[in-house]
Amino acid sequence: ISESLQIRSHLSECHQRIAEVPHSSPKDMDPTNLVIILLHPIAALAVIGWMIRQHRWRQRGRLMKGEERKAAVASHERDGERLYILAWLLVAGGFTANAVYRIRTEDLALPEALLPTGAGGLHAGGGLIGLALITVLWRKGRMTRDLRNSGESWALEKQRHGRASDAIMVLIGLHAFLGFLWLVQLLT
C-alpha cells in the first residue's frame, strides 16, 4: 500500500508539472516567429499554383496551332526556367525559415538548427528529393527543346518530360500534405 501511495503521489506531481508547462498556440506565438514560420508555406502555395498552371500545358497545347502554339511553347519554356529557379529558392527559403525559427524558439546554434527533426525532417528530405526530380524534369524539358530546334526526333523526350511532370505533381501533393501536418504540429 505504501508503494501504491508513493506512485500516486509521484503521478500527481508529474501531472502538476505538466499542467504548469506553458502551451503555445498561434494566438500565443510571437508575431515575428509566426511570420517566419508561415513564409515558406505561403510562398509554396504560390509556386505550386504556378506549377499546376504549367502542368496544364499538356492539355492546352493540344488545342493550339500555328503561331499561337509557337508563342505558347515559348511561354511554357520561359515559365519552366523561372519555376526551376523558384523551386531552388523555395527549398532554400524553407531551410532558412526553419533555421531562423528554431534559433529563435529553441536557442540552437546554426548547424543544429538547419536540420529539422521529426515530421520536419521528413518534409525537408522530401524537399531535397523533389529538387532533384525537378532538376531532371527541367533537363528533360531543355533536351526536348534542343532536339526540336535541331530538327531531330523529339517525341520520345517530350513524352518522358510529360510523364516526369505527372509524377512530380503527385509527389508535390504528398509533400505539401506533409508540410501541412508539420505546420499544424508547430502551431499547436
Side-chain angles (χ1 to χ4, degrees):
I1 295 179
S2 171
E3 195 173 303
S4 175
L5 289 174
Q6 287 176 339
I7 291 172
R8 282 187 185 172
S9 173
H10 180 71
L11 285 174
S12 177
E13 289 174 22
C14 288
H15 285 146
Q16 182 64 33
R17 276 189 254 140
I18 289 171
E20 291 172 2
V21 172
H23 297 285
S24 66
S25 69
K27 68 178 183 179
D28 299 333
M29 186 181 283
D30 175 77
T32 304
N33 289 339
L34 186 61
V35 168
I36 290 168
I37 207 64
L38 290 177
L39 283 174
H40 176 72
I42 291 169
L45 286 173
V47 172
I48 290 169
W50 195 359
M51 286 180 165
I52 290 169
R53 182 179 172 279
Q54 180 78 345
H55 183 257
R56 288 188 181 146
W57 157 253
R58 292 177 73 191
Q59 291 96 19
R60 288 191 324 261
R62 291 184 191 133
L63 304 173
M64 296 178 188
K65 303 256 188 263
E67 290 303 313
E68 179 188 23
R69 180 171 171 77
K70 283 182 183 179
V73 167
S75 175
H76 175 77
E77 291 170 352
R78 219 175 17 259
D79 286 350
E81 296 288 334
R82 291 174 180 153
L83 280 168
Y84 180 65
I85 293 166
L86 280 175
W88 276 90
L89 291 173
L90 189 63
V91 171
F95 275 93
T96 302
N98 180 62
V100 170
Y101 177 78
R102 291 186 72 203
I103 288 168
R104 289 176 55 89
T105 60
E106 299 173 34
D107 201 30
L108 297 174
L110 182 60
E112 199 176 9
L114 277 174
L115 299 175
T117 57
L122 189 58
H123 182 73
L128 294 175
I129 291 169
L131 204 50
L133 293 173
I134 286 174
T135 299
V136 170
L137 177 66
W138 175 73
R139 285 186 174 175
K140 291 287 179 196
R142 290 181 132 220
M143 203 176 301
T144 301
R145 179 201 62 200
D146 293 345
L147 288 171
R148 184 189 68 234
N149 290 345
S150 71
E152 297 179 47
S153 176
W154 52 280
L156 182 61
E157 204 58 45
K158 175 183 166 189
Q159 185 179 31
R160 288 178 181 157
H161 176 67
R163 287 185 179 164
S165 174
D166 292 341
I168 286 172
M169 292 309 295
V170 170
L171 293 173
I172 285 172
L174 292 171
H175 182 72
F177 180 69
L178 283 174
F180 171 75
L181 292 178
W182 184 29
L183 183 61
V184 167
Q185 178 187 2
L186 288 173
L187 295 177
T188 56

